[in-house]
């Protein structure tokens, strides 16, 4: 699975054994990360970025890897997350296949990939792993934790479990708990993968790979990551040229939107490990900061101690809808933070933070510049 | 496939050959229907109901079939569609498997089921077939056409192609054209069916049936038929009791919402023909009253001539969103109708007309009572 790992990736070894919240432990596990900028003498300029489900740690280009990263427009010298000022760390989540230990990694106890023998993964485990990276890098206190989507859940878990770890927090299109619509979507994505005979209870390889299941899962993902509003303007009812059509098949690709989904699926399918996808997906379903703390979601949020916080959402997001970022801001404020909720009018739905830099750039830079 | 057809069903033979809009024709085709109430002497009290994709013609109980119908609360003596006053006809759509001729029917030319040899099906074909039923029943002019969801498309096609066929129209959660979000959802549903090896290019039977594909398609349907808002209140994060769980499988059914989807899928899977599903689904993608008339959607709507119209939508509907019913009302008004748009606050999304009778009952009865 080394083909998934971008050049320039570095690693932190996790404590071994690394205990998992829902039982079991990992041996010799490690977390992939990248950094940009330089820590200052006071040690108070470090920002931790926790990404969504699929990105790796390569958020932006660097001397070791000049290829553009997944947040290239947001991160770099003079950019909204200005690396002339900030020392920025981005980690690949525990359980992923982009460098960190996950179900596709070799289990040192068996010498074979974990596959379904990987212990049940929770958002809290990923948070603990991110915390280990922060500590291993000698960072006493972060200036800010920025979490996007799944990373927004990871960030809240990190803040809840390590009071004082960060002065500020930016939660982007995140949630303090999974709600049934998103659980249903993710459940169906997992079912598509598991129904593919090539999944074979997790025992696939490159020659026999659950391509159809992964394609279905990704298409359903893309449908819920974007918005109907964006697609009305972008695709409307435009048809493909006849040379891009599947001949006479009435059920073949005909509309631009169908081709768009197909293109997304093809780019994703061989670039993400199916078992890792299942584990990360389920970890999100299980997350509720309230359940994690033995109280309500609001109570869980109010236990977090940060000085300043910003929860950004998008009104067209159907997967992590706006009221979830409102809840985060309200909860953090109840815990004493100077917390703001910022709803953006982006048409691009849940994925807006990956594309709508005209809105997200000023929102993030405005917050960080005032820190 | 006779097991799909409710007792009490009656049939109208379509003209043979019955030409299809996109090419080809049908021989000896027929349309299943049921009726309630009695035509009056003036012949001006007939209402035609055109249902959504999956329902049969059994909208309500009758002496021939006392089982409750799919719109039992809406249709009957003293009910919103009051059969003491109205003579009501409900048809099963052309292309369905619930009595009308469709891909699961025997092709008289081959003696075998049509399967994928069925000609391409359009919304306009279903409208022509419904028109043939109206004429065969001796109805000169309908008092009203009521179309729900796909039936709302069929109704607009009928009205556009047969000026004067109806005095009034109620369009419920319908659309004058398919938009890319709903095309994407339906495309993915069809892909799930077609990827199931048991689909076998349409050559399945009861022993080898694309059950997984149909289950996936139905679950995705249910997700888009309801709403996140309803599910937040109805399911939240409630777990199944341990005796309803799949043992230790971390990816098995755990949340109530997952079990709800599973139940819906199981009830549907063997009760709808997969090829019929593919054809009906694609016919909706193709529909645009503008393309059908060689103009814009608004122009297509404005060509319709009815005296009164009501377009009802639901603010939580993501499949046929509210602006589509607004467009219908505006378009019909531009054509000279006294047309109203009625947005309802139902939490149940696209399916609200099948469950939220407290809102839909008065909305429909108010319109019909004033006719």
């Amino acid at each position: 699975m080394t083909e998934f790992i971008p050049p320039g990736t570095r690693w932190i070894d996790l404590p071994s054994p690394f205990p998992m919240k829902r039982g079991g432990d990992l041996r010799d596990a490690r977390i992939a990360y990248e950094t940009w900028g330089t820590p200052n003498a006071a040690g108070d300029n470090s920002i931790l970025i926790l990404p969504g489900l699929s990105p790796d740690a390569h958020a932006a280009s660097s001397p070791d890897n000049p290829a553009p990263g997944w947040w290239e427009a947001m991160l770099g010298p003079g950019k909204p997350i200005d690396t002339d000022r900030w020392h920025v760390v981005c980690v690949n989540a525990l359980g992923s296949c982009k460098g960190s230990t996950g179900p596709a990694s070799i289990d040192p106890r068996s010498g074979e990939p974990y596959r379904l023998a990987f212990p049940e993964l929770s958002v809290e485990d990923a948070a603990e792993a991110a915390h280990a990276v922060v500590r291993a890098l000698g960072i006493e206190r972060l200036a800010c934790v920025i979490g996007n989507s799944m990373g927004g859940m990871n960030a809240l878990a990190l803040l809840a479990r390590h009071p004082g770890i960060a002065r500020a927090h930016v939660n982007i299109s995140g949630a303090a708990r999974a709600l049934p619509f998103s659980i249903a979507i993710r459940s169906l994505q997992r079912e598509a993968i598991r129904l593919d005979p090539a999944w074979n209870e997790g025992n696939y390889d490159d020659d026999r790979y659950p391509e159809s299941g992964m394609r279905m899962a990704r298409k359903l993902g893309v449908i819920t990551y974007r918005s109907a509003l964006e697609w009305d303007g972008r695709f409307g009812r435009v048809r493909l040229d006849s040379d891009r059509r599947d001949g006479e098949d009435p059920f073949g690709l005909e509309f631009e939107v169908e081709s768009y989904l197909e293109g997304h699926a093809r780019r994703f399918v061989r670039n993400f490990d199916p078992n890792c996808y299942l584990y990360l997906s389920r970890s999100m379903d299980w997350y509720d900061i309230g359940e994690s703390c033995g109280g309500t979601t609001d109570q869980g949020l109010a236990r977090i101690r940060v000085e300043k916080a910003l929860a950004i959402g998008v009104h067209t997001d159907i997967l992590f809808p706006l009221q979830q970022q409102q809840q985060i801001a309200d909860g953090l404020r109840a815990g004493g933070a100077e917390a703001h909720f910022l709803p953006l009018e982006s048409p691009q739905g849940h994925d807006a933070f990956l594309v709508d830099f005209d809105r997200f750039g000023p929102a993030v830079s405005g917050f960080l510049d005032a820190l």
Side-chain angles (χ1 to χ4, degrees), chain A:
Chain A
M1 299 293 175
T2 50
E3 70 269 36
F4 296 147
I5 304 170
T9 298
R10 286 185 278 176
W11 282 271
I12 291 292
D13 291 330
L14 292 179
S16 184
F18 180 82
M20 300 286 273
K21 176 172 177 266
R22 296 174 64 95
D25 59 47
L26 301 174
R27 308 278 163 133
D28 305 341
R30 59 186 195 163
I31 295 296
Y33 74 98
E34 288 193 38
T35 68
W36 301 260
T38 311
N40 62 10
D44 65 359
N45 74 327
S46 293
I47 289 177
L48 175 67
I49 297 176
L50 299 172
L53 186 151
S54 52
D56 52 38
H58 189 57
S61 55
S62 65
D64 291 337
N65 182 1
W70 56 265
W71 232 15
E72 189 71 24
M74 291 290 285
L75 178 63
K79 293 185 180 174
I81 305 170
D82 186 352
T83 50
D84 288 337
R85 177 181 177 195
W86 303 110
H87 167 239
V88 180
V89 181
C90 181
V91 304
N92 178 237
L94 182 71
S96 177
C97 56
K98 306 275 186 174
S100 294
T101 296
S105 306
I106 301 296
D107 177 355
R109 281 169 280 204
S110 71
E112 298 286 326
Y114 281 103
R115 303 183 186 275
L116 300 195
F118 199 79
E120 290 181 10
L121 177 74
S122 70
V123 161
E124 290 86 348
D125 298 322
E128 287 304 316
H131 181 254
V133 173
V134 172
R135 288 289 177 253
L137 293 175
I139 299 167
E140 193 64 34
R141 190 182 195 208
L142 292 159
C144 187
V145 181
I146 301 176
N148 304 331
S149 185
M150 181 186 84
M153 290 179 160
N154 295 339
L156 292 173
L158 171 63
L159 294 167
R161 295 164 75 91
H162 295 281
I165 187 71
R167 200 179 136 219
H169 172 44
V170 179
N171 200 292
I172 295 180
S173 301
R177 64 170 162 177
L179 288 176
F181 179 83
S182 55
I183 292 173
I185 293 285
R186 286 192 291 263
S187 183
L188 199 53
Q189 291 174 305
R190 294 190 299 268
E191 186 167 353
I193 295 169
R194 294 164 68 227
L195 280 173
D196 187 329
W199 179 64
N200 189 25
E201 298 293 319
N203 296 301
Y204 48 82
D205 57 31
D206 283 348
D207 294 330
R208 190 167 160 72
Y209 176 95
E211 185 144 343
S212 302
M214 284 293 278
R215 197 164 71 216
M216 290 285 301
R218 182 58 171 179
K219 286 188 178 182
L220 182 50
V222 172
I223 288 173
T224 55
Y225 297 157
R226 311 299 289 216
S227 87
L229 179 70
E230 179 200 10
W231 287 1
D232 289 349
R234 184 168 173 182
F235 303 118
R237 294 181 48 77
V238 174
R239 311 301 211 278
L240 296 173
D241 296 335
S242 58
D243 60 350
R244 293 172 64 204
R245 302 270 281 268
D246 298 347
E248 297 295 302
D249 181 357
F251 306 117
L253 302 181
E254 172 175 341
F255 292 89
E256 277 282 354
V257 68
E258 294 181 288
S259 171
Y260 167 82
L261 289 179
E262 185 68 21
H264 263 282
R266 285 197 183 150
R267 286 192 295 279
F268 181 74
V269 155
R270 293 276 178 174
N271 285 305
F272 208 91
D273 178 74
N275 289 334
C276 291
Y277 192 90
L278 295 176
Y279 273 82
L280 290 165
S281 165
R282 194 51 144 174
S283 79
M284 282 191 273
D285 293 355
W286 284 329
Y287 189 61
D288 179 343
I289 196 171
E291 292 176 14
S292 188
C293 300
T296 66
T297 306
D298 292 341
Q299 288 169 343
L301 283 165
R303 289 184 192 180
I304 288 177
R305 294 290 172 263
V306 288
E307 292 174 20
K308 293 186 172 192
L310 176 65
I312 311 176
V314 164
H315 74 118
T316 50
D317 187 345
I318 59 174
L319 203 60
F320 286 68
L322 217 48
Q323 69 267 25
Q324 296 206 281
Q325 294 89 49
Q326 172 90 64
Q327 180 180 41
I328 290 169
D330 292 347
L332 295 178
R333 197 177 307 115
E338 182 192 327
H340 295 280
F341 165 55
L342 180 59
L344 296 179
E345 293 287 316
S346 306
Q348 295 98 339
H350 185 63
D351 263 2
F353 68 88
L354 295 172
V355 284
D356 188 1
F357 303 117
D358 287 348
R359 288 190 175 86
F360 275 89
V364 171
S365 66
F367 180 82
L368 294 181
D369 292 352
L371 277 189

